[in-house]
């Protein structure tokens, strides 16, 4: 998996969604060439490593103030959308939780904020 190469990050929010823990990281310093605003790591049960990452990356286009959301899974990665709203942790978190719910077929589960 081509996961984010995080050097340091500050946990901003933590949720429980079914058997999954969702951790939102901010103030990210990494060793890769992406400019992360936020990263959501999705961990199943007692696994030590996330199986899914959703990232908000500053769009590199000179005329854009938006962020791209990238889905990173074990079998690949893809940019799945763009929005200027994702510069704010709440907007990114809401969109990422919705995406995780859809991908993992957890639409009947309610996210529970732990932090």
């Amino acid at each position: 998996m081509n996961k984010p190469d995080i050097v340091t990050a500050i946990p901003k929010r933590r949720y429980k969604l079914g058997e999954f823990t969702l951790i939102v990281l901010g103030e990210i310093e990494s060793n890769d060439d992406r400019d992360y605003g936020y990263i959501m790591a999705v961990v199943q049960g007692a696994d030590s490593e996330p199986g899914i990452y959703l990232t908000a990356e500053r769009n590199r286009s000179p005329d854009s103030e938006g962020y791209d959301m990238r889905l990173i899974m074990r079998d690949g990665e893809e940019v799945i959308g763009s929005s200027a709203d994702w510069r704010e942790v709440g907007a990114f978190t809401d969109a990422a939780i919705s995406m995780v719910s859809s991908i993992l077929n957890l639409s009947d589960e309610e996210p529970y904020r732990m932090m």
Side-chain angles (χ1 to χ4, degrees), residues 51-64:
I52 297 173
Y53 294 91
L54 283 157
T55 65
E57 303 169 16
R58 287 175 189 87
N59 188 304
R60 294 180 183 204
S61 176
D63 58 340
S64 174

Side-chain angles (χ1 to χ4, degrees), residues 8-99:
T8 61
I10 306 295
K12 298 293 185 178
R13 297 186 178 182
R14 184 180 308 260
Y15 292 84
K16 195 75 172 157
L17 183 65
E19 65 180 288
F20 297 89
T21 301
L22 315 176
I23 303 147
V24 179
L25 305 171
E27 300 176 45
I28 301 156
E29 184 181 324
S30 73
N31 282 329
D32 52 36
D33 64 349
R34 297 181 179 153
D35 188 4
Y36 299 108
Y38 300 103
I39 296 173
M40 176 180 281
V42 181
V43 180
Q44 182 176 15
D47 283 354
S48 60
E49 287 289 318
I52 297 173
Y53 294 91
L54 283 157
T55 65
E57 303 169 16
R58 287 175 189 87
N59 188 304
R60 294 180 183 204
S61 176
D63 58 340
S64 174
E65 295 180 17
Y67 286 71
D68 293 332
M69 184 178 289
R70 184 181 306 270
L71 170 65
I72 303 169
M73 298 174 65
R74 288 188 172 101
D75 59 350
E77 64 180 69
E78 177 180 355
V79 173
I80 55 175
S82 296
S83 175
D85 295 341
W86 296 334
R87 79 180 79 231
E88 198 274 317
V89 68
F92 167 73
T93 301
D94 291 347
I97 287 173
S98 177
M99 183 60 60

